[in-house]
Amino acid sequence: MGEGKAREAKTFNNNYNSRSKKDSEVSPTEAILANKLTVHIHRAEFENIFPEVLEYMYKGTIQITIHNCAALLSFARVFCAVSLGKILKSFIRKNVQRETALTFLEESIKYSITDMQNICIHCIARNFCYLYNVDYTWLSYHVFKKIISHPRLSVKSEFLLYKIVAGFIAAHKELSESEIQVLLSCIRFTWCSYDELLIIITEKVVPASLLLEPLMLRLLPYERLGFERGEKGSEMRVERGQERKAQR
């Protein structure tokens, strides 16, 4: 075993002793002295990946997948396995892509790894318009808000974004009025067509205050057109009156 991994293994052993002594039937040191090692991990999230961690500690190899990387990273941080943590972070940065970002996000939420969540959210926001038929209702309010309020959010249709947000609101009855207002304010209703705005109004999800300005902007061209027609009509009437006077 190399010097770095030996030091890491020692650190892991010390951390394990301090964190799990009460939960272990026998401490790692006592077990080694007795020529055996019995480790009982009472944190359910680590039970499935502990064999991989031991293989890495003693053989220097580990199999990382999209489904175990978050658990391994959480384990590495709890027990100060620095080199393992670096390998895992590199794996995440390279493999979080359009097709995998949502799965990585789900795993990062499960193990409360904030920096991994941020990487996933950034990727999802940049590819939002290319993610078809995605159900976002399983996300928490805070994570969903981070996605749709992200400065790099890529949206082809604000109306489609509205439908996604409306579906999320319908699935989360526990949302407060202020939280709903925050989510809806992420939609640029001024980019919706007049027909789309009429549909949004009939569904009664969006407060009138958020739709007033977009509707006014959509109606403005028609008002201008009507004003121009009125001006021309007025000018014609004046000219015809002048013609009549001239004829008299």
Side-chain angles (χ1 to χ4, degrees):
M1 185 186 298
E3 183 180 346
K5 286 203 172 51
R7 190 184 305 111
E8 193 166 290
K10 184 178 179 181
T11 303
F12 161 74
N13 187 55
N14 292 338
N15 278 282
Y16 182 84
N17 281 333
S18 63
R19 293 175 184 269
S20 305
K21 192 171 182 181
K22 293 180 181 179
D23 295 332
S24 300
E25 294 180 4
V26 58
S27 71
T29 305
E30 292 170 347
I32 291 171
L33 291 175
N35 199 27
K36 64 178 181 179
L37 177 61
T38 304
V39 178
H40 296 270
I41 298 179
H42 296 281
R43 293 185 62 169
E45 67 269 29
F46 292 154
E47 289 179 357
N48 295 330
I49 51 92
F50 193 62
E52 285 90 339
V53 174
L54 286 180
E55 183 178 356
Y56 172 75
M57 291 296 181
Y58 292 99
K59 295 183 180 179
T61 59
I62 190 167
Q63 184 176 0
I64 305 172
T65 69
I66 189 173
H67 297 290
N68 72 2
C69 63
L72 288 169
L73 183 57
S74 179
F75 189 99
R77 289 179 174 177
V78 168
F79 295 104
C80 301
V82 179
S83 62
L84 177 59
K86 289 180 180 178
I87 293 170
L88 291 163
K89 284 190 287 186
S90 176
F91 174 86
I92 292 165
R93 282 194 297 268
K94 290 179 181 177
N95 290 278
V96 173
Q97 299 172 2
R98 182 191 304 174
E99 299 79 9
T100 60
L102 284 163
T103 305
F104 272 107
L105 178 62
E106 185 177 0
E107 293 297 316
S108 66
I109 291 171
K110 189 187 300 182
Y111 295 96
S112 303
I113 305 177
T114 305
D115 52 343
M116 183 176 171
Q117 287 180 34
N118 292 335
I119 293 171
C120 297
I121 288 169
H122 179 78
C123 182
I124 292 168
R126 289 190 62 185
N127 294 278
F128 193 81
C129 61
Y130 303 108
L131 300 173
Y132 305 107
N133 302 319
V134 175
D135 180 15
Y136 295 96
T137 58
W138 62 273
L139 294 171
S140 68
Y141 162 76
H142 295 288
V143 174
F144 184 69
K145 183 187 71 172
K146 284 183 179 180
I147 293 174
I148 65 171
S149 64
H150 196 280
R152 300 295 299 275
L153 183 69
S154 177
V155 177
K156 286 183 179 179
S157 167
E158 295 294 327
F159 182 70
L160 292 179
L161 177 60
Y162 157 76
K163 298 299 285 185
I164 292 171
V165 173
F168 184 87
I169 292 170
H172 290 263
K173 304 296 184 184
E174 76 282 359
L175 293 176
S176 65
E177 289 186 8
S178 60
E179 289 173 334
I180 292 173
Q181 185 86 2
V182 168
L183 294 179
L184 292 172
S185 65
C186 296
I187 306 167
R188 296 171 294 184
F189 290 104
T190 52
W191 288 33
C192 293
S193 68
Y194 180 74
D195 291 336
E196 289 171 345
L197 288 171
L198 289 180
I199 295 171
I200 293 171
I201 290 170
T202 58
E203 291 183 351
K204 298 180 179 180
V205 176
V206 184
S209 58
L210 290 177
L211 295 175
L212 181 59
E213 183 180 356
L215 276 171
M216 294 294 288
L217 290 172
R218 285 297 173 189
L219 291 171
L220 185 59
Y222 299 99
E223 185 179 358
R224 285 175 177 170
L225 181 61
F227 178 73
E228 288 172 0
R229 286 177 177 172
E231 267 192 339
K232 288 179 181 178
S234 176
E235 289 173 2
M236 289 294 290
R237 284 193 294 274
V238 171
E239 289 172 358
R240 286 175 181 174
Q242 287 175 347
E243 286 177 355
R244 290 193 188 98
K245 288 179 181 179
Q247 287 174 357
R248 288 176 185 176

